[in-house]
Amino acid sequence: MSRRPIVLLPEALRNQIAAGEVVERPSSVVKELAENSLDAGARRVDVELSRGGLALIAVQDDGGGVPPGELALAVTRHATSKIVSTADLWRIATFGFRGEALPSIASVSLLRMTSRFPGESEARYVEVENGRLRDEGPAALAAGTRVEVRGLFQSVPARLKFLRSEATEARRCQDILMRMSLARPDAAFSLTLDGRESFRLPPGQDLAARLARFWPPAVCQGLRPFDFDLDGARARGLAGDPATAQGRGDRILCFVNGRAVQDRLLTRAARNAYQGRLLTSEFPQLALFLELPPDEVDVNVHPAKLEVRFRDEGAIFSLVRRALLQALEVMAPTAFFETPPSREERESLAAPSQRALPVEPPKFGSYREFRSSYGESPVAPFSAGRGGEAQRPADPSPPRPQSPSAASAPVSLGDSGLTYLGQVADTYLVLRTPDGLALLDQHAAHERVLFENMRSGRTRGESQPLAVGLELDLHPSEAELLEEVGADLRRLGFGFREAGAGRLALTAVPPGLDAGKAMEYFRAAVSGQSRNLAGLWTMLSCRSAIKAGDVLARDEALALLSAWLDCPERDYCPHGRPALVAFNEADLEKLFKRK
Ligand code: ADP
Ligand code: MG
């Protein structure tokens, strides 16, 4: 190839290259335009999209407007009214400052900006097509600014190929405007998609009211406020109850000085604060607002300013962590304990005034209740070990020992080679193995049993019709998710039908679940806490399994052991935690330093 001389690129091409960074997809345009509106002091921002923003993106505000003489400059690269010096870069109080957005957008679309500056007798517009000023003149607009972007990326088909479906692009626009509206609950926002109103948020709402429009009621009810100061930095917001956690991280919303950011440090700090309260597959839900002196954070490290850099990462991490812990400590304990509660905690939970756990797993009063919880025929009787009386697990009402771990003799478990010795710490079942000793975590083991029952079809498909359908209101976000998980829910035994706009009637529930509990699970599934069948099984089994800290009578323990021994993959619970920890003779010798 023959060498070409070095030339300065034409202005339009330079803008297209810059557009590659700032204008990735329709939602980037929505973000830039709405930010300009807020920077101009707008109290209301109305956004209209058609065909996911590909045909039209229009953003109109009631802000300060642009003087007629500056309109053409507004769409010129590196032209901004927001900073004038390098020092200003370190005290940025506006969303924009690079002077790149309008010219970048205008280089890959047909952009028309109309603005009425206070005191002017009329509004004016400029029109730029693919980077070339096409037209300007007087226009009709009572106040503020309206920017219309048509045919985004039509002139650069290569960029169109990177876009997803119109519905997905529309959802991203919705998401970005939602985030902005949370940072500015004082301002009004509206979004219209193809002529249909998607949301309309009145001015002067508080954060909780705004979130209630976007997050399911079950999640919003559990939100707790936090507000924490440390060395001149502040972290405030709302934190979700761990009991309503979901398997996705899309409800971790972080803002730094009012700017929505996706920041790994903040996400890590949040997950760290929730550690021990969530399973590893679960994510917390929160809206976190960090307020820092402007020179503590560099916002000029990402063209779309989605990422930021903190001067003192360690300080930010501990600020966020401590702020969230403040909210979490006032919350009720979660439905399952990663670590067993202390005796005092258990006693205080048993007090009648404190019995209202968010989700209370069934506690099996008797062997029969225990067995019927997963609807199976009784186990083959186990034979008693040396010196023991044979227990008859199939007996419909076995005597319940006063203290289950005392008075009880070893029982050998069929031909498994295992002998049940007793329960310790109200959590572990102690087993003698052919060459040593093993501890079985009763919660993990029961989860595995319930999970296998669902997976093997013992639960799947069966369903228990309700005499009277239970009606429930569906939040728009829940209705959307129901379309995705509906088939899975039916396979699990749920039956349901539409009962008017935004309402649903639950007509059948999985066997072994009472209507109230079934309703709770159904809600959890449609509020996004679990996306696929295995996830739902895991959740159902976790929520229904006996807990660490539950005293098990010997017949209850034996029933659990028998069902657990039948499970494939029985050494692990469905989340992947070990259910069984074994010590063979060599391990024991090592522990006692005999070797
Ligand atoms: P930046 O926001 O980084 O300054 P932009 O290209 O987004 O760069 O906008 C250029 C300039 O146009 C802004 O600095 C501002 O003065 C003006 N402007 C843009 N949008 C609006 C609006 N909606 N209302 C008033 N002025 C606006
Ligand atoms: Mg801007």
Side-chain angles (χ1 to χ4, degrees):
M1 205 176 84
S2 65
R3 183 182 177 275
R4 289 198 192 140
I6 300 172
V7 293
L8 272 178
L9 294 175
E11 175 85 9
L13 187 51
R14 278 187 250 170
N15 285 334
Q16 279 195 6
I17 291 170
E21 292 183 320
V22 187
V23 193
E24 202 191 335
R25 51 194 349 122
S27 62
S28 356
V29 175
V30 170
K31 171 179 175 290
E32 294 294 338
L33 297 183
E35 286 186 348
N36 278 349
S37 295
L38 294 172
D39 279 348
R43 308 283 304 167
R44 67 169 313 117
V45 180
D46 296 303
V47 180
E48 251 175 86
L49 301 178
S50 71
R51 294 192 35 224
L54 290 175
L56 171 75
I57 299 170
V59 176
Q60 183 160 344
D61 65 54
D62 63 352
V66 183
E70 292 181 21
L71 259 186
L73 211 50
V75 293
T76 305
R77 190 137 173 254
H78 302 313
T80 179
S81 58
K82 300 171 192 174
I83 56 171
V84 291
S85 68
T86 312
D88 288 346
L89 266 184
W90 294 99
R91 42 170 186 260
I92 284 165
T94 49
F95 287 115
F97 57 85
R98 296 164 66 114
E100 276 187 331
L102 290 179
S104 298
I105 298 165
S107 73
V108 288
S109 69
L110 171 61
L111 179 144
R112 183 187 173 101
M113 181 177 195
T114 310
S115 195
R116 171 87 171 261
F117 195 66
E120 294 292 329
S121 58
E122 59 183 3
R124 282 193 75 78
Y125 80 93
V126 281
E127 205 167 85
V128 186
E129 187 174 24
N130 298 326
R132 280 183 197 85
L133 192 67
R134 227 176 59 153
D135 209 358
E136 61 181 311
L141 186 73
T145 303
R146 177 178 175 88
V147 178
E148 294 174 354
V149 175
R150 290 174 204 276
L152 183 68
F153 299 142
Q154 287 307 316
S155 57
V156 264
R159 315 263 349 224
L160 278 177
K161 287 198 200 115
F162 287 91
L163 298 186
R164 307 284 292 276
S165 70
E166 287 173 9
T168 304
E169 295 300 336
R171 203 157 34 224
R172 292 185 191 216
C173 295
Q174 202 173 1
D175 188 63
I176 234 153
L177 199 62
M178 178 269 280
R179 284 174 198 247
M180 293 178 74
S181 80
L182 295 178
R184 290 294 304 275
D186 57 308
F189 289 85
S190 75
L191 175 66
T192 306
L193 301 175
D194 293 313
R196 244 189 62 221
E197 183 175 294
S198 166
F199 60 75
R200 175 169 297 277
L201 304 165
Q205 284 188 303
D206 64 12
L207 176 62
R210 285 263 152 116
L211 274 176
R213 174 56 193 74
F214 301 108
W215 287 3
V219 176
C220 289
Q221 275 152 24
L223 290 172
R224 296 286 181 285
F226 59 90
D227 194 340
F228 193 75
D229 278 287
L230 196 70
D231 303 330
R234 179 179 177 202
R236 60 174 185 90
L238 293 170
D241 189 328
T244 65
Q246 59 166 5
R248 288 172 298 149
D250 62 350
R251 292 198 198 118
I252 301 179
L253 305 181
C254 300
F255 301 81
V256 177
N257 291 345
R259 208 184 279 281
V261 296
Q262 283 151 3
D263 186 88
R264 262 191 244 132
L265 177 80
L266 301 181
T267 309
R268 253 195 300 132
R271 292 198 80 176
N272 186 288
Y274 275 80
Q275 212 165 49
R277 292 174 165 88
L278 295 182
L279 302 166
T280 48
S281 58
E282 289 179 324
F283 290 83
Q285 304 173 93
L286 54 116
L288 163 73
F289 293 84
L290 274 183
E291 285 156 29
L292 311 173
D295 60 353
E296 285 291 313
V297 51
D298 187 354
V299 292
N300 192 23
V301 293
H302 187 276
K305 309 174 205 84
L306 289 173
E307 286 164 23
V308 290
R309 194 181 293 144
F310 299 107
R311 203 181 54 77
D312 186 347
E313 296 204 334
I316 298 296
F317 187 90
S318 71
L319 168 69
V320 171
R321 194 176 157 272
R322 288 171 67 181
L324 289 171
L325 285 174
Q326 184 191 56
L328 288 169
E329 267 147 27
V330 301
M331 288 180 189
T334 52
F336 43 84
F337 298 98
E338 288 283 60
T339 45
S342 69
R343 189 156 294 277
E344 289 104 87
E345 278 171 323
R346 280 206 303 277
E347 274 158 16
S348 76
L349 283 175
S353 61
Q354 306 230 354
R355 284 235 51 122
L357 286 174
V359 179
E360 186 154 15
K363 169 88 170 66
F364 304 102
S366 70
Y367 169 76
R368 197 166 42 171
E369 250 179 271
F370 175 76
R371 296 298 301 182
S372 69
S373 79
Y374 48 90
E376 226 197 322
S377 57
V379 280
F382 293 132
S383 62
R386 255 171 305 150
E389 271 286 296
Q391 280 284 321
R392 306 218 123 263
D395 183 339
S397 53
R400 196 184 162 145
Q402 281 296 66
S403 165
S405 37
S408 54
V411 180
S412 82
L413 306 178
D415 55 6
S416 66
L418 302 173
T419 305
Y420 174 59
L421 301 177
Q423 187 193 30
V424 292
D426 296 348
T427 298
Y428 307 102
L429 307 185
V430 186
L431 304 170
R432 183 162 58 219
T433 62
D435 62 348
L437 174 80
L439 298 173
L440 183 71
D441 178 320
Q442 65 193 35
H443 173 74
H446 194 207
E447 271 185 305
R448 172 53 72 192
V449 169
L450 295 174
F451 184 92
E452 286 307 328
N453 282 340
M454 291 181 218
R455 179 160 74 178
S456 65
R458 261 173 287 188
T459 315
R460 183 164 53 178
E462 285 172 42
S463 99
Q464 186 180 297
L466 295 174
V468 182
L470 290 174
E471 292 212 355
L472 67 159
D473 284 317
L474 275 195
H475 189 271
S477 65
E478 294 175 327
E480 250 170 54
L481 203 52
L482 183 62
E483 283 178 23
E484 283 176 44
V485 297
D488 286 352
L489 286 168
R490 287 189 198 282
R491 239 170 291 153
L492 264 184
F494 287 99
F496 49 89
R497 57 173 166 75
E498 256 186 55
R503 282 185 76 71
L504 196 86
L506 203 57
T507 53
V509 300
L513 279 185
D514 67 49
K517 190 137 257 116
M519 181 77 117
E520 206 174 277
Y521 292 148
F522 190 86
R523 274 241 175 258
V526 296
S527 67
Q529 289 182 45
S530 170
R531 277 237 153 171
N532 53 40
L533 206 52
L536 204 63
W537 294 336
T538 306
M539 184 184 77
L540 280 168
S541 58
C542 182
R543 301 282 149 106
S544 320
I546 34 175
K547 287 184 298 182
D550 280 339
V551 175
L552 286 196
R554 187 162 73 159
D555 45 2
E556 292 173 328
L558 292 176
L560 173 59
L561 284 163
S562 142
W564 173 76
L565 281 168
D566 284 344
C567 291
E569 296 177 74
R570 62 174 179 239
D571 287 349
Y572 293 90
C573 83
H575 304 101
R577 269 202 313 128
L580 187 79
V581 174
F583 305 88
N584 62 22
E585 217 177 319
D587 296 328
L588 293 172
E589 278 173 345
K590 234 179 273 160
L591 283 172
F592 287 100
K593 301 202 187 306
R594 286 175 164 273
K595 267 195 177 162

